[in-house]
């Protein structure tokens, strides 16, 4: 028996608990935690846009403000999607996955599901390493704000130089940065930590769900092969076993389709807006990077925008890769039906296989608001679109 929560979703549980989105009894403390996290993320958008009022209004400054503000908008979209559809996205899929795993009795099927779970754990580990590295680069101000004296001695810089360094990381709000430096620093660091954790936790959760759906489709292929391989020495008993085996394969195939489509039915609109905002944000950050390179600005600004571009690219790629892999696994089920020696089976089994082959003419896709589907081709289209928008902006300013 496979314990889904403890074996495959242990890290996801910790990350979602940190932002108040893990399935548990919603006490007042948890509700306060969710409201606080969501409020901080929403306020970050407003404060970032307020910098347009408190500073000189230029095209480059508008680009810089929106290149960061749209990142915060993506955080809000994902947090709101999981908060609003808490039961349908987090609780119910976990219960369904546990029920599916409990029904697995064949040792090979259990091995297949464990293999996909182990792949999820390895991928989660790599994502955590990238997440920690990003925070180390993006939040150097945490240690500086907590222990300024220690760093001034270690780095051999004066306190005035230290504050000048910190100002580069802080937008100019309506408050006085000189007197409220630590408060603004903590607020800025909270935005980045909560937002990055939301992005990572929700993305890993959805990726893990789709990988488990791929595991179910792999089990469907295994059941079809196992059922057809007993075609020798056909007798009424073996024919009944073959018929039952194919029915079991159809059952888990339908379960995988229902699981993934039901899950994505609550997320297709939020992911559609997320991808639209992501493409625009990519274009703006491309433009900001080009200006930094052309003006010969310091490395820290380049690194900041480069990390944003990298994270969005990785997220868009993994989302489309998961959709492509689900489609490929679904196609593999019908390739398996084509490749098995179905012509050696009884006539009743052949009729059932013919019905399955007709069903295979319909591809399985994860739709985005009925406009497009998640696939590697769609990822290439998004990349071309973001580069095209960047080229238009860059050309207009020359």
């Amino acid at each position: 028996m496979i314990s889904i929560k403890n074996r495959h979703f242990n890290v996801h549980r910790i990350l979602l608990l940190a932002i108040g989105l893990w399935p548990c009894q919603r006490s007042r403390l948890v509700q306060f935690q969710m409201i606080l996290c969501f409020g901080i993320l929403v306020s970050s958008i407003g404060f970032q846009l307020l910098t347009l009022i408190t500073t000189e209004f230029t095209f480059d400054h508008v680009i810089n403000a929106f290149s960061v503000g749209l990142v915060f908008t993506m955080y809000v979209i994902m947090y709101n999607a999981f908060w609003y559809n808490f039961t349908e996205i987090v609780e119910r899929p976990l219960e369904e996955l546990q029920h599916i795993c409990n029904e697995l009795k064949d040792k090979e099927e259990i091995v297949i599901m464990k293999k996909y779970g182990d792949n999820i754990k390895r991928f989660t580990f790599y994502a955590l390493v990238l997440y920690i590295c990003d925070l180390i680069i993006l939040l150097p101000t945490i240690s500086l704000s907590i222990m300024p004296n220690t760093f001034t001695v270690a780095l051999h810089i004066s306190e005035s130089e230290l504050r000048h360094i910190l100002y580069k990381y802080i937008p100019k709000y309506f408050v006085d940065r000189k007197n409220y430096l630590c408060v603004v620093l903590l607020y800025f660091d909270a935005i980045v930590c909560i937002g990055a954790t939301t992005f990572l936790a929700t993305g890993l959760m959805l990726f893990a769900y789709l990988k488990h759906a791929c595991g179910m489709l792999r089990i469907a292929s295994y059941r079809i092969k196992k059922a057809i391989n007993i075609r020798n020495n056909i007798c009424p008993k073996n024919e009944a076993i073959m018929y039952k085996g194919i029915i079991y394969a159809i059952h888990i195939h339908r379960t995988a389709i229902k699981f993934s489509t039901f899950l994505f039915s609550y997320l297709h609109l939020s992911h559609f807006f997320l991808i639209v905002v992501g493409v625009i944000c990519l274009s703006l950050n491309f433009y900001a990077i080009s200006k930094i390179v052309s003006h010969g600005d310091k490395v820290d600004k380049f690194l900041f925008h480069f990390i944003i571009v990298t994270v969005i690219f990785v997220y868009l790629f993994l989302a489309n890769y998961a959709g492509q892999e689900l489609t490929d696994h679904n196609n593999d089920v019908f390739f398996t039906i084509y490749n098995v020696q179905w012509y050696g089976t009884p006539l009743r089994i052949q009729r059932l296989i013919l019905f399955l082959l007709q069903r295979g003419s319909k591809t399985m896709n994860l739709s985005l608001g009925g406009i497009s589907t998640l696939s590697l081709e769609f990822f290439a289209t998004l990349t071309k679109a973001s580069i095209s928008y960047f080229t238009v902006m860059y050309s207009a300013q020359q």
Side-chain angles (χ1 to χ4, degrees), residues 19 75 88 95 145 185 205 249 252 265 271 276 290 303 319 339 348 354 358 361 376:
I19 54 177
Y75 293 160
E88 290 77 10
E95 295 174 357
S145 61
L185 277 172
M205 200 73 179
I252 197 167
S265 64
H271 263 68
V276 171
S290 66
L303 195 60
N339 294 329
R348 188 171 68 153
L354 180 61
Q358 291 176 344
S361 60
L376 293 180

Side-chain angles (χ1 to χ4, degrees), residues 318-370:
L318 291 177
N320 285 278
Y321 173 78
Q324 182 69 56
E325 192 171 13
L326 190 67
T327 302
D328 293 342
H329 275 72
N330 181 66
N331 294 335
D332 287 342
V333 174
F334 299 101
F335 291 154
T336 301
I337 299 174
Y338 278 112
N339 294 329
V340 295
Q341 298 180 2
W342 53 270
Y343 46 82
T345 61
L347 183 60
R348 188 171 68 153
I349 303 297
Q350 292 184 23
R351 291 173 179 172
L352 181 59
I353 292 176
L354 180 61
F355 175 77
L356 293 176
L357 293 177
Q358 291 176 344
R359 175 63 180 83
S361 60
K362 299 180 180 179
T363 58
M364 175 185 175
N365 296 310
L366 296 178
S367 176
L368 287 172

Side-chain angles (χ1 to χ4, degrees), residues 63-264:
I63 295 297
N64 290 330
F66 277 95
S67 64
V68 179
L70 290 180
V71 177
F72 299 153
T73 304
M74 297 174 69
Y75 293 160
V76 171
I77 292 174
M78 288 307 300
Y79 196 97
N80 180 70
F82 268 68
W83 187 4
Y84 185 74
N85 301 301
F86 179 82
T87 302
E88 290 77 10
I89 297 178
V90 183
E91 285 186 327
R92 191 175 298 177
L94 285 174
E95 295 174 357
E96 181 68 18
L97 280 177
Q98 188 62 63
H99 177 70
I100 293 169
C101 291
N102 292 340
E103 290 183 340
L104 301 178
K105 305 302 180 182
D106 189 285
K107 291 183 179 180
E108 186 64 27
E109 295 177 1
I110 296 176
V111 169
I112 292 174
M113 191 59 75
K114 286 183 178 180
K115 178 182 177 181
Y116 278 82
D118 292 339
N119 291 337
I120 293 170
K121 290 170 66 175
R122 283 194 295 269
F123 174 78
T124 302
F125 172 77
Y126 297 142
L128 277 176
V129 171
L130 179 63
Y131 166 74
I132 294 172
C133 292
D134 287 344
L135 287 186
I136 291 174
I137 297 174
L138 287 174
L139 300 180
T141 55
I142 292 179
S143 298
L144 291 174
S145 61
I146 296 175
M147 297 181 295
N149 295 329
T150 303
F151 277 85
T152 54
V153 174
L155 299 177
H156 303 287
I157 58 178
S158 64
E159 185 175 352
S160 60
E161 291 175 336
L162 174 62
R163 288 182 174 272
H164 177 71
I165 294 174
L166 296 179
Y167 283 174
K168 295 191 301 182
Y169 294 93
I170 308 172
K172 185 178 180 182
Y173 302 128
F174 287 118
V175 298
D176 185 3
R177 292 184 296 181
K178 182 177 180 180
N179 297 326
Y180 298 96
L181 177 62
C182 292
V183 176
V184 177
L185 277 172
L186 291 175
Y187 173 73
F188 179 77
D189 294 342
I191 294 171
V192 176
C193 289
I194 295 173
T197 304
T198 300
F199 220 52
L200 179 70
T202 56
L204 288 177
M205 200 73 179
L206 296 177
F207 189 83
Y209 284 153
L210 294 181
K211 288 292 288 184
H212 278 90
C214 292
M216 297 179 216
L217 295 173
R218 184 67 69 192
I219 291 174
S221 299
Y222 165 77
R223 289 181 177 180
I224 291 174
K225 291 181 181 179
K226 183 180 178 181
I228 302 300
N229 283 339
I230 61 173
R231 66 188 183 281
N232 297 326
N233 191 18
I234 296 297
C235 63
K237 181 180 179 181
N238 287 342
E239 183 179 348
I241 294 175
M242 292 174 61
Y243 199 81
K244 185 179 294 186
I246 295 176
I247 290 176
Y248 286 159
I250 296 173
H251 171 70
I252 197 167
H253 178 262
R254 293 186 61 185
T255 301
I257 295 177
K258 182 180 179 181
F259 175 80
S260 55
T261 54
F262 173 81
L263 172 69
F264 212 72

